[in-house]
């Protein structure tokens, strides 16, 4: 890229940065009307789902010491894997809704700062994590619930059914809805199976459950809403035949109080199919289920800013596609400090070293103003004191203390460039990439440090030990060793390493469910943003491998990450930041006023001079003309 091209790009960026500030006042007004900073980003579930939305406000009263069990998903809104899993979990909740007297299906968003304490207490190390907490549950050092390691609805249902039975057979609880999970034996008869049942129970259904199956348990749970029916399991063949059950043809039967037995054949060997068969049979007998219980109270859902306002931000970002926004850089730092680090219960060993390294780099290359620099410097000094272990809670407390002492740190409260077209798209992971790109460029422009790996190593440690998207962390580590991160030779190559690695992730995720349709994953920068970056024009549209001009890419990345060009659209407290392009632009505007006057004065002077010169010339020429008739030369000769 020639000096001239860089100069042109610089002018373009200056102009873009300048125009990006135009709707600023309007945006500030919008932000004032909006709710708490990150609320609109949160929550993969809403009141239309059967998932109970848990939060610090209702977690304990919903999950602890209850007479029902709870299946809880700990998730992070910004983790792609959690987003992909959300529709599956909704399905699970929908299907298991009829089990709610015995087990509720809930979820808590660990990306919400308010929930830090809960996610830390439960030592959640990967997202999504599914845990079962039984009736009467209280967390303790050895018990944070039972992990369910599956993301398949049928498997989750089966695992949950087994846990519920094991829980019930080993402990007692006072939940009258809890089914009788004991097997019917050969000694039982059509009368003994009604013993102890209220008169409301007009029927008992017998379900054949072979070994290693949970079909009987599931059927009992699916039929909790049918008070006229009691479901019992049978696995012993002799007992089964006593109740007209044949494992190969009639796996179900219904017994009435008169001792009459009717066998049934379900469509398939699954809990839902068995329960469907029994429900149809009951309906034919004019038996109906209990009316639906009032819904369990959901945690309040944060208000979402007006669509028009949201669209205004999106329009701004679409207008200035490749700008880096101050607001996003700040949101990344805020989420890291307020959510990701404090959520970890114990920070020791490799994790502590990773945090110390990360804070060191952040302190050197952050985009914050004076207060922010002070905060990061003191926070780093605090963390560096520890050589064994620090807890997430200690970190959180120190952060709060320092923020209280140093005053406001962040000039903005919302994402701008990382705003998604719908609430749970983009956000934090987008801003984290942005922050790391910004820091690699600042390091490359910094003369003091010669360590090419400074930022990349800090990033690697951070992603591995703190990033709340476990799947992303695994992919990133694999990619880092494949792309030989530890052999990056200099700081400029570090900028390019991260750029290329990010493009690899973009390529893998293009068209993925987590992609924001308004911001498709492209090979960055687009040809429109940086035509010089492409050695072969049109390669993106022709779908051929891009022949990058890496020098141009480097210049481009350095330019967009130049603090002078970082857009301040969405910044509410400009005074917290160092004077930059926006201020300079205002100064330039003022100086432009003067230069206009100067220009006019100059022109006037110029015109005056010309007139004077013409007059002088005329006078001179006239004199010369008058002299000529005398015919003298310089020596006085004619
Ligand atoms: C380290 C890391 C690993 C991840 N791994 C996964 C994963 O394995 N699976 C998964 O589902 N999600 C993963 N994610 C999340 C995913 O990459 C995106 O962040 C998320 O899908 C949001 O995408 P986005 O459209 O906002 O743009 P992002 O990809 O987040 O990009 C943010 C901004 O950076 C700029 N940009 C884009 N590409 C480049 C580039 N090459 N160089 C410089 N700037 C660029 C653009 O302006 C873009 O808007 C990961 C995130 C991180 C931080």
């Amino acid at each position: 890229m020639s000096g001239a091209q860089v100069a042109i790009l610089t002018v373009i960026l200056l102009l873009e940065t300048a125009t990006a500030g135009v709707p600023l006042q309007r945006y500030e007004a919008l932000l004032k009307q909006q709710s708490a900073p990150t609320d609109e980003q949160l929550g993969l579930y809403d009141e239309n789902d059967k998932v109970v939305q848990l939060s610090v406000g209702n977690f304990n009263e919903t999950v602890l010491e209850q007479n029902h069990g709870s299946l809880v998903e700990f998730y992070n809104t910004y983790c792609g894997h959690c987003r992909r899993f959300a529709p599956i979990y909704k399905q699970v909740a929908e299907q298991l809704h009829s089990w709610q007297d015995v087990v509720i299906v809930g979820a808590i968003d660990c990306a919400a700062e308010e929930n830090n304490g809960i996610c830390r207490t439960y030592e959640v190390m990967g997202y999504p994590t599914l845990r079962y907490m039984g009736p009467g549950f209280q967390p303790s050092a050895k018990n944070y619930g039972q992990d369910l390691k599956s993301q398949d609805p049928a498997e989750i249902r089966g695992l949950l059914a087994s846990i519920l039975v094991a829980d019930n057979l080993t402990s007692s609880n006072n939940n009258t809805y809890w089914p009788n999970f004991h097997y019917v034996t050969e000694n039982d008869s059509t009368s003994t199976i009604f013993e102890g049942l209220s008169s409301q129970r007009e029927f008992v259904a017998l379900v054949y459950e072979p070994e290693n199956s949970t079909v009987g348990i599931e059927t009992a749970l699916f039929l909790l809403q049918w008070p006229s029916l009691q479901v019992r399991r049978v696995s012993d063949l002799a007992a089964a035949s006593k109740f007209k059950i044949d494992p190969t043809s009639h796996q179900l039967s219904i017994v009435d109080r008169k001792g009459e037995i009717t066998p049934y054949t379900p469509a398939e060997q699954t809990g839902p199919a068995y329960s469907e068969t029994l429900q149809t049979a009951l309906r034919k007998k004019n038996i109906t289920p209990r009316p639906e219980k009032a819904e369990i109270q959901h945690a309040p859902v944060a208000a979402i800013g007006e669509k028009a306002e949201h669209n205004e931000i999106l329009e701004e970002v679409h207008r200035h596609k490749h700008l880096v926004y101050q607001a996003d850089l700040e949101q990344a730092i805020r989420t890291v400090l307020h959510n990701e680090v404090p959520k970890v219960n114990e920070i020791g060993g490799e994790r502590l070293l990773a945090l110390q390294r990360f804070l060191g780099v952040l302190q050197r290359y952050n985009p914050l103003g004076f207060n922010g620099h002070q905060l990061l410097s003191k926070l780093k000094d605090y963390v560096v004191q520890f050589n064994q272990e620090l807890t997430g809670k200690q970190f959180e407390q120190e952060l709060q203390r320092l923020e209280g002492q140093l005053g406001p740190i962040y000039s903005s409260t919302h994402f701008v460039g990382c705003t998604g077209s719908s609430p749970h798209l983009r956000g934090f992971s987008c801003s984290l990439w942005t922050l790391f790109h910004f820091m690699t460029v600042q390091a490359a422009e910094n003369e003091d440090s010669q360590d090419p790996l400074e930022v990349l190593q800090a990033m690697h440690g951070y992603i591995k030990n703190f990033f709340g998207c476990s799947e992303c962390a695994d992919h990133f580590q694999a990619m880092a060793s494949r792309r030989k991160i530890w052999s990056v030779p200099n700081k400029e190559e570090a900028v390019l390493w991260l750029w290329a690695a990010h493009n690899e992730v973009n390529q893998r995720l293009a068209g993925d469910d987590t992609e924001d349709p308004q911001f498709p994953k492209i090979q960055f920068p687009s040809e429109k943003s940086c035509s010089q970056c492409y050695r072969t024009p049109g390669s993106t549209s022709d779908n051929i491998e891009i022949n990058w001009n890496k020098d141009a890419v480097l210049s481009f990345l350095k330019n967009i990450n130049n603090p002078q060009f970082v857009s301040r659209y969405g910044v509410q407290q400009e005074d917290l930041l160092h004077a930059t392009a926006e201020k300079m632009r205002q100064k330039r505007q003022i100086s432009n006023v003067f230069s206009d006057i100067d220009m006019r004065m100059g022109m006037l002077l110029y015109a005056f001079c010309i007139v004077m010169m013409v007059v002088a010339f005329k006078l001179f020429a006239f004199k010369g003309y008058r002299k000529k008739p005398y015919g003298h030369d310089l020596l006085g000769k004619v």
Side-chain angles (χ1 to χ4, degrees), residues 84 426 429-430 433 437 463 472 475-476 499 502-503 505-506 508-509 521 524:
R84 270 175 235 119
R426 315 195 72 215
S429 56
C430 164
W433 275 121
H437 288 300
I463 297 292
C472 308
H475 280 142
F476 184 76
W499 157 76
H502 190 172
N503 266 346
V505 177
N506 291 343
R508 178 158 47 81
L509 296 178
K521 303 261 191 274
F524 185 90

PDB file of all heavy atoms in Angstrom, residues 84 426 429-430 433 437 463 472 475-476 499 502-503 505-506 508-509 521 524, ligand 1:
ATOM      1  N   ARG A  84     -27.322 -22.453  20.190  1.00  0.00           N
ATOM      2  CA  ARG A  84     -27.762 -23.599  19.375  1.00  0.00           C
ATOM      3  C   ARG A  84     -28.572 -24.572  20.215  1.00  0.00           C
ATOM      4  O   ARG A  84     -29.490 -25.213  19.741  1.00  0.00           O
ATOM      5  CB  ARG A  84     -26.534 -24.307  18.779  1.00  0.00           C
ATOM      6  CG  ARG A  84     -26.160 -23.743  17.447  1.00  0.00           C
ATOM      7  CD  ARG A  84     -24.881 -24.367  16.925  1.00  0.00           C
ATOM      8  NE  ARG A  84     -23.946 -23.305  16.625  1.00  0.00           N
ATOM      9  CZ  ARG A  84     -22.770 -23.131  17.177  1.00  0.00           C
ATOM     10  NH1 ARG A  84     -22.328 -23.980  18.086  1.00  0.00           N
ATOM     11  NH2 ARG A  84     -22.010 -22.123  16.844  1.00  0.00           N
ATOM     12  N   ARG A 426     -24.761 -11.506  18.449  1.00  0.00           N
ATOM     13  CA  ARG A 426     -23.543 -10.691  18.517  1.00  0.00           C
ATOM     14  C   ARG A 426     -23.162 -10.365  19.963  1.00  0.00           C
ATOM     15  O   ARG A 426     -22.976 -11.253  20.752  1.00  0.00           O
ATOM     16  CB  ARG A 426     -23.676  -9.435  17.653  1.00  0.00           C
ATOM     17  CG  ARG A 426     -24.271  -9.746  16.268  1.00  0.00           C
ATOM     18  CD  ARG A 426     -24.095  -8.659  15.279  1.00  0.00           C
ATOM     19  NE  ARG A 426     -22.719  -8.537  14.846  1.00  0.00           N
ATOM     20  CZ  ARG A 426     -22.120  -7.388  14.550  1.00  0.00           C
ATOM     21  NH1 ARG A 426     -22.783  -6.269  14.648  1.00  0.00           N
ATOM     22  NH2 ARG A 426     -20.873  -7.357  14.162  1.00  0.00           N
ATOM     23  N   SER A 429     -19.167 -11.560  22.552  1.00  0.00           N
ATOM     24  CA  SER A 429     -18.077 -12.244  21.830  1.00  0.00           C
ATOM     25  C   SER A 429     -17.564 -11.362  20.697  1.00  0.00           C
ATOM     26  O   SER A 429     -16.360 -11.341  20.413  1.00  0.00           O
ATOM     27  CB  SER A 429     -18.516 -13.619  21.319  1.00  0.00           C
ATOM     28  OG  SER A 429     -19.646 -13.505  20.520  1.00  0.00           O
ATOM     29  N   CYS A 430     -18.458 -10.601  20.069  1.00  0.00           N
ATOM     30  CA  CYS A 430     -18.053  -9.656  19.016  1.00  0.00           C
ATOM     31  C   CYS A 430     -17.127  -8.595  19.615  1.00  0.00           C
ATOM     32  O   CYS A 430     -16.067  -8.277  19.071  1.00  0.00           O
ATOM     33  CB  CYS A 430     -19.315  -9.034  18.415  1.00  0.00           C
ATOM     34  SG  CYS A 430     -19.069  -7.552  17.458  1.00  0.00           S
ATOM     35  N   TRP A 433     -13.524  -9.969  20.445  1.00  0.00           N
ATOM     36  CA  TRP A 433     -12.640  -9.982  19.258  1.00  0.00           C
ATOM     37  C   TRP A 433     -12.128  -8.563  19.021  1.00  0.00           C
ATOM     38  O   TRP A 433     -10.938  -8.333  18.798  1.00  0.00           O
ATOM     39  CB  TRP A 433     -13.422 -10.414  18.012  1.00  0.00           C
ATOM     40  CG  TRP A 433     -13.579 -11.865  17.723  1.00  0.00           C
ATOM     41  CD1 TRP A 433     -14.767 -12.532  17.598  1.00  0.00           C
ATOM     42  CD2 TRP A 433     -12.557 -12.847  17.455  1.00  0.00           C
ATOM     43  NE1 TRP A 433     -14.544 -13.853  17.288  1.00  0.00           N
ATOM     44  CE2 TRP A 433     -13.195 -14.071  17.191  1.00  0.00           C
ATOM     45  CE3 TRP A 433     -11.163 -12.795  17.427  1.00  0.00           C
ATOM     46  CZ2 TRP A 433     -12.498 -15.238  16.886  1.00  0.00           C
ATOM     47  CZ3 TRP A 433     -10.460 -13.958  17.131  1.00  0.00           C
ATOM     48  CH2 TRP A 433     -11.125 -15.153  16.870  1.00  0.00           C
ATOM     49  N   HIS A 437      -8.245  -7.338  18.816  1.00  0.00           N
ATOM     50  CA  HIS A 437      -7.642  -6.726  17.614  1.00  0.00           C
ATOM     51  C   HIS A 437      -7.058  -5.360  17.977  1.00  0.00           C
ATOM     52  O   HIS A 437      -5.940  -5.029  17.591  1.00  0.00           O
ATOM     53  CB  HIS A 437      -8.688  -6.546  16.509  1.00  0.00           C
ATOM     54  CG  HIS A 437      -9.113  -7.834  15.866  1.00  0.00           C
ATOM     55  ND1 HIS A 437      -8.232  -8.669  15.212  1.00  0.00           N
ATOM     56  CD2 HIS A 437     -10.321  -8.443  15.764  1.00  0.00           C
ATOM     57  CE1 HIS A 437      -8.883  -9.723  14.750  1.00  0.00           C
ATOM     58  NE2 HIS A 437     -10.152  -9.618  15.077  1.00  0.00           N
ATOM     59  N   ILE A 463      -8.815 -16.716  26.990  1.00  0.00           N
ATOM     60  CA  ILE A 463      -9.852 -17.527  26.334  1.00  0.00           C
ATOM     61  C   ILE A 463      -9.907 -18.914  26.971  1.00  0.00           C
ATOM     62  O   ILE A 463     -10.980 -19.440  27.259  1.00  0.00           O
ATOM     63  CB  ILE A 463      -9.566 -17.641  24.813  1.00  0.00           C
ATOM     64  CG1 ILE A 463      -9.616 -16.265  24.146  1.00  0.00           C
ATOM     65  CG2 ILE A 463     -10.512 -18.612  24.119  1.00  0.00           C
ATOM     66  CD1 ILE A 463     -10.962 -15.609  24.075  1.00  0.00           C
ATOM     67  N   CYS A 472     -16.002 -22.422  22.117  1.00  0.00           N
ATOM     68  CA  CYS A 472     -15.130 -21.466  21.415  1.00  0.00           C
ATOM     69  C   CYS A 472     -13.705 -21.609  21.928  1.00  0.00           C
ATOM     70  O   CYS A 472     -12.738 -21.592  21.149  1.00  0.00           O
ATOM     71  CB  CYS A 472     -15.566 -20.021  21.662  1.00  0.00           C
ATOM     72  SG  CYS A 472     -17.290 -19.704  21.321  1.00  0.00           S
ATOM     73  N   HIS A 475     -12.061 -24.684  20.451  1.00  0.00           N
ATOM     74  CA  HIS A 475     -11.708 -24.459  19.042  1.00  0.00           C
ATOM     75  C   HIS A 475     -10.514 -23.528  18.924  1.00  0.00           C
ATOM     76  O   HIS A 475      -9.612 -23.752  18.125  1.00  0.00           O
ATOM     77  CB  HIS A 475     -12.891 -23.805  18.305  1.00  0.00           C
ATOM     78  CG  HIS A 475     -13.943 -24.779  17.906  1.00  0.00           C
ATOM     79  ND1 HIS A 475     -15.280 -24.483  17.955  1.00  0.00           N
ATOM     80  CD2 HIS A 475     -13.855 -26.036  17.435  1.00  0.00           C
ATOM     81  CE1 HIS A 475     -15.966 -25.532  17.551  1.00  0.00           C
ATOM     82  NE2 HIS A 475     -15.130 -26.478  17.226  1.00  0.00           N
ATOM     83  N   PHE A 476     -10.529 -22.483  19.759  1.00  0.00           N
ATOM     84  CA  PHE A 476      -9.472 -21.483  19.645  1.00  0.00           C
ATOM     85  C   PHE A 476      -8.113 -22.093  19.991  1.00  0.00           C
ATOM     86  O   PHE A 476      -7.118 -21.836  19.308  1.00  0.00           O
ATOM     87  CB  PHE A 476      -9.769 -20.283  20.557  1.00  0.00           C
ATOM     88  CG  PHE A 476      -8.761 -19.180  20.391  1.00  0.00           C
ATOM     89  CD1 PHE A 476      -8.802 -18.347  19.280  1.00  0.00           C
ATOM     90  CD2 PHE A 476      -7.749 -18.981  21.323  1.00  0.00           C
ATOM     91  CE1 PHE A 476      -7.868 -17.336  19.099  1.00  0.00           C
ATOM     92  CE2 PHE A 476      -6.810 -17.978  21.154  1.00  0.00           C
ATOM     93  CZ  PHE A 476      -6.874 -17.156  20.044  1.00  0.00           C
ATOM     94  N   TRP A 499      -5.880 -11.563  12.871  1.00  0.00           N
ATOM     95  CA  TRP A 499      -6.798 -11.262  11.754  1.00  0.00           C
ATOM     96  C   TRP A 499      -7.113 -12.557  10.976  1.00  0.00           C
ATOM     97  O   TRP A 499      -8.271 -12.867  10.700  1.00  0.00           O
ATOM     98  CB  TRP A 499      -6.137 -10.216  10.836  1.00  0.00           C
ATOM     99  CG  TRP A 499      -6.660 -10.204   9.441  1.00  0.00           C
ATOM    100  CD1 TRP A 499      -7.843  -9.683   9.018  1.00  0.00           C
ATOM    101  CD2 TRP A 499      -6.015 -10.764   8.281  1.00  0.00           C
ATOM    102  NE1 TRP A 499      -7.975  -9.873   7.664  1.00  0.00           N
ATOM    103  CE2 TRP A 499      -6.872 -10.527   7.187  1.00  0.00           C
ATOM    104  CE3 TRP A 499      -4.803 -11.411   8.065  1.00  0.00           C
ATOM    105  CZ2 TRP A 499      -6.559 -10.950   5.894  1.00  0.00           C
ATOM    106  CZ3 TRP A 499      -4.485 -11.818   6.784  1.00  0.00           C
ATOM    107  CH2 TRP A 499      -5.361 -11.590   5.710  1.00  0.00           C
ATOM    108  N   HIS A 502      -9.171 -15.042  13.072  1.00  0.00           N
ATOM    109  CA  HIS A 502     -10.568 -14.605  13.157  1.00  0.00           C
ATOM    110  C   HIS A 502     -11.285 -14.920  11.839  1.00  0.00           C
ATOM    111  O   HIS A 502     -12.432 -15.370  11.842  1.00  0.00           O
ATOM    112  CB  HIS A 502     -10.611 -13.099  13.477  1.00  0.00           C
ATOM    113  CG  HIS A 502     -11.969 -12.580  13.832  1.00  0.00           C
ATOM    114  ND1 HIS A 502     -12.173 -11.317  14.297  1.00  0.00           N
ATOM    115  CD2 HIS A 502     -13.202 -13.149  13.787  1.00  0.00           C
ATOM    116  CE1 HIS A 502     -13.459 -11.129  14.530  1.00  0.00           C
ATOM    117  NE2 HIS A 502     -14.111 -12.223  14.215  1.00  0.00           N
ATOM    118  N   ASN A 503     -10.595 -14.707  10.746  1.00  0.00           N
ATOM    119  CA  ASN A 503     -11.224 -15.024   9.452  1.00  0.00           C
ATOM    120  C   ASN A 503     -11.517 -16.518   9.318  1.00  0.00           C
ATOM    121  O   ASN A 503     -12.514 -16.912   8.712  1.00  0.00           O
ATOM    122  CB  ASN A 503     -10.334 -14.554   8.297  1.00  0.00           C
ATOM    123  CG  ASN A 503     -10.739 -13.166   7.833  1.00  0.00           C
ATOM    124  OD1 ASN A 503     -11.810 -12.673   8.191  1.00  0.00           O
ATOM    125  ND2 ASN A 503      -9.899 -12.526   7.050  1.00  0.00           N
ATOM    126  N   VAL A 505     -12.349 -18.450  11.791  1.00  0.00           N
ATOM    127  CA  VAL A 505     -13.578 -18.668  12.584  1.00  0.00           C
ATOM    128  C   VAL A 505     -14.790 -18.154  11.788  1.00  0.00           C
ATOM    129  O   VAL A 505     -15.829 -18.813  11.719  1.00  0.00           O
ATOM    130  CB  VAL A 505     -13.477 -17.976  13.968  1.00  0.00           C
ATOM    131  CG1 VAL A 505     -14.769 -18.138  14.755  1.00  0.00           C
ATOM    132  CG2 VAL A 505     -12.303 -18.533  14.754  1.00  0.00           C
ATOM    133  N   ASN A 506     -14.629 -16.987  11.150  1.00  0.00           N
ATOM    134  CA  ASN A 506     -15.728 -16.433  10.339  1.00  0.00           C
ATOM    135  C   ASN A 506     -16.158 -17.431   9.267  1.00  0.00           C
ATOM    136  O   ASN A 506     -17.347 -17.645   9.033  1.00  0.00           O
ATOM    137  CB  ASN A 506     -15.293 -15.147   9.629  1.00  0.00           C
ATOM    138  CG  ASN A 506     -15.075 -14.005  10.600  1.00  0.00           C
ATOM    139  OD1 ASN A 506     -15.528 -14.056  11.731  1.00  0.00           O
ATOM    140  ND2 ASN A 506     -14.359 -12.982  10.165  1.00  0.00           N
ATOM    141  N   ARG A 508     -15.775 -20.685   9.253  1.00  0.00           N
ATOM    142  CA  ARG A 508     -16.418 -21.873   9.833  1.00  0.00           C
ATOM    143  C   ARG A 508     -17.856 -21.575  10.248  1.00  0.00           C
ATOM    144  O   ARG A 508     -18.737 -22.420  10.141  1.00  0.00           O
ATOM    145  CB  ARG A 508     -15.599 -22.354  11.034  1.00  0.00           C
ATOM    146  CG  ARG A 508     -16.179 -23.544  11.752  1.00  0.00           C
ATOM    147  CD  ARG A 508     -15.136 -24.285  12.550  1.00  0.00           C
ATOM    148  NE  ARG A 508     -14.295 -23.436  13.363  1.00  0.00           N
ATOM    149  CZ  ARG A 508     -14.632 -22.950  14.557  1.00  0.00           C
ATOM    150  NH1 ARG A 508     -15.799 -23.234  15.081  1.00  0.00           N
ATOM    151  NH2 ARG A 508     -13.800 -22.183  15.236  1.00  0.00           N
ATOM    152  N   LEU A 509     -18.097 -20.350  10.724  1.00  0.00           N
ATOM    153  CA  LEU A 509     -19.421 -20.029  11.255  1.00  0.00           C
ATOM    154  C   LEU A 509     -20.361 -19.403  10.226  1.00  0.00           C
ATOM    155  O   LEU A 509     -21.524 -19.131  10.546  1.00  0.00           O
ATOM    156  CB  LEU A 509     -19.286 -19.087  12.450  1.00  0.00           C
ATOM    157  CG  LEU A 509     -18.555 -19.659  13.673  1.00  0.00           C
ATOM    158  CD1 LEU A 509     -18.449 -18.621  14.767  1.00  0.00           C
ATOM    159  CD2 LEU A 509     -19.263 -20.899  14.203  1.00  0.00           C
ATOM    160  N   LYS A 521     -21.268 -13.426   8.269  1.00  0.00           N
ATOM    161  CA  LYS A 521     -19.829 -13.616   8.493  1.00  0.00           C
ATOM    162  C   LYS A 521     -19.111 -13.527   7.145  1.00  0.00           C
ATOM    163  O   LYS A 521     -19.400 -14.304   6.240  1.00  0.00           O
ATOM    164  CB  LYS A 521     -19.560 -14.991   9.104  1.00  0.00           C
ATOM    165  CG  LYS A 521     -20.289 -15.242  10.388  1.00  0.00           C
ATOM    166  CD  LYS A 521     -19.361 -14.996  11.565  1.00  0.00           C
ATOM    167  CE  LYS A 521     -19.951 -15.472  12.850  1.00  0.00           C
ATOM    168  NZ  LYS A 521     -20.812 -14.568  13.564  1.00  0.00           N
ATOM    169  N   PHE A 524     -12.844 -10.721   6.333  1.00  0.00           N
ATOM    170  CA  PHE A 524     -12.678  -9.325   6.710  1.00  0.00           C
ATOM    171  C   PHE A 524     -11.291  -8.828   6.322  1.00  0.00           C
ATOM    172  O   PHE A 524     -10.332  -9.556   6.517  1.00  0.00           O
ATOM    173  CB  PHE A 524     -12.873  -9.220   8.230  1.00  0.00           C
ATOM    174  CG  PHE A 524     -12.853  -7.824   8.762  1.00  0.00           C
ATOM    175  CD1 PHE A 524     -14.013  -7.082   8.870  1.00  0.00           C
ATOM    176  CD2 PHE A 524     -11.650  -7.248   9.158  1.00  0.00           C
ATOM    177  CE1 PHE A 524     -13.984  -5.795   9.375  1.00  0.00           C
ATOM    178  CE2 PHE A 524     -11.623  -5.956   9.650  1.00  0.00           C
ATOM    179  CZ  PHE A 524     -12.784  -5.226   9.766  1.00  0.00           C
TER     180      PHE A 524
HETATM  181  C1  LIG B   1     -11.672 -16.295  20.500  1.00  0.00           C
HETATM  182  C2  LIG B   1     -13.065 -16.584  20.040  1.00  0.00           C
HETATM  183  C3  LIG B   1     -13.387 -17.820  19.515  1.00  0.00           C
HETATM  184  C4  LIG B   1     -14.686 -18.099  19.078  1.00  0.00           C
HETATM  185  N1  LIG B   1     -15.005 -19.359  18.615  1.00  0.00           N
HETATM  186  C5  LIG B   1     -16.294 -19.648  18.310  1.00  0.00           C
HETATM  187  C6  LIG B   1     -16.682 -20.971  17.947  1.00  0.00           C
HETATM  188  O1  LIG B   1     -15.847 -21.867  17.902  1.00  0.00           O
HETATM  189  N2  LIG B   1     -17.991 -21.226  17.682  1.00  0.00           N
HETATM  190  C7  LIG B   1     -18.926 -20.232  17.762  1.00  0.00           C
HETATM  191  O2  LIG B   1     -20.105 -20.497  17.511  1.00  0.00           O
HETATM  192  N3  LIG B   1     -18.587 -18.960  18.078  1.00  0.00           N
HETATM  193  C8  LIG B   1     -17.306 -18.651  18.356  1.00  0.00           C
HETATM  194  N4  LIG B   1     -16.965 -17.392  18.735  1.00  0.00           N
HETATM  195  C9  LIG B   1     -17.955 -16.308  18.591  1.00  0.00           C
HETATM  196  C10 LIG B   1     -17.967 -15.817  17.125  1.00  0.00           C
HETATM  197  O3  LIG B   1     -16.669 -15.765  16.581  1.00  0.00           O
HETATM  198  C11 LIG B   1     -18.539 -14.421  16.985  1.00  0.00           C
HETATM  199  O4  LIG B   1     -17.922 -13.572  17.904  1.00  0.00           O
HETATM  200  C12 LIG B   1     -20.021 -14.354  17.212  1.00  0.00           C
HETATM  201  O5  LIG B   1     -20.673 -15.274  16.378  1.00  0.00           O
HETATM  202  C13 LIG B   1     -20.543 -12.937  16.878  1.00  0.00           C
HETATM  203  O6  LIG B   1     -20.232 -12.652  15.525  1.00  0.00           O
HETATM  204  P1  LIG B   1     -20.288 -11.229  14.889  1.00  0.00           P
HETATM  205  O7  LIG B   1     -21.036 -11.286  13.630  1.00  0.00           O
HETATM  206  O8  LIG B   1     -20.752 -10.241  15.869  1.00  0.00           O
HETATM  207  O9  LIG B   1     -18.780 -10.867  14.459  1.00  0.00           O
HETATM  208  P2  LIG B   1     -17.428 -11.306  15.093  1.00  0.00           P
HETATM  209  O10 LIG B   1     -16.890 -12.456  14.343  1.00  0.00           O
HETATM  210  O11 LIG B   1     -17.554 -11.436  16.548  1.00  0.00           O
HETATM  211  O12 LIG B   1     -16.504 -10.056  14.767  1.00  0.00           O
HETATM  212  C14 LIG B   1     -16.596  -8.837  15.487  1.00  0.00           C
HETATM  213  C15 LIG B   1     -16.172  -7.696  14.604  1.00  0.00           C
HETATM  214  O13 LIG B   1     -14.790  -7.843  14.290  1.00  0.00           O
HETATM  215  C16 LIG B   1     -14.529  -7.416  12.957  1.00  0.00           C
HETATM  216  N5  LIG B   1     -13.884  -8.528  12.265  1.00  0.00           N
HETATM  217  C17 LIG B   1     -14.446  -9.612  11.707  1.00  0.00           C
HETATM  218  N6  LIG B   1     -13.504 -10.409  11.209  1.00  0.00           N
HETATM  219  C18 LIG B   1     -12.315  -9.822  11.460  1.00  0.00           C
HETATM  220  C19 LIG B   1     -10.982 -10.168  11.187  1.00  0.00           C
HETATM  221  N7  LIG B   1     -10.672 -11.272  10.541  1.00  0.00           N
HETATM  222  N8  LIG B   1     -10.011  -9.323  11.581  1.00  0.00           N
HETATM  223  C20 LIG B   1     -10.302  -8.166  12.210  1.00  0.00           C
HETATM  224  N9  LIG B   1     -11.553  -7.792  12.518  1.00  0.00           N
HETATM  225  C21 LIG B   1     -12.551  -8.616  12.146  1.00  0.00           C
HETATM  226  C22 LIG B   1     -15.850  -7.032  12.344  1.00  0.00           C
HETATM  227  O14 LIG B   1     -15.966  -5.620  12.403  1.00  0.00           O
HETATM  228  C23 LIG B   1     -16.863  -7.695  13.242  1.00  0.00           C
HETATM  229  O15 LIG B   1     -18.043  -6.978  13.310  1.00  0.00           O
HETATM  230  C24 LIG B   1     -15.681 -17.081  19.178  1.00  0.00           C
HETATM  231  C25 LIG B   1     -15.356 -15.837  19.715  1.00  0.00           C
HETATM  232  C26 LIG B   1     -14.068 -15.583  20.152  1.00  0.00           C
HETATM  233  C27 LIG B   1     -13.742 -14.240  20.787  1.00  0.00           C
END
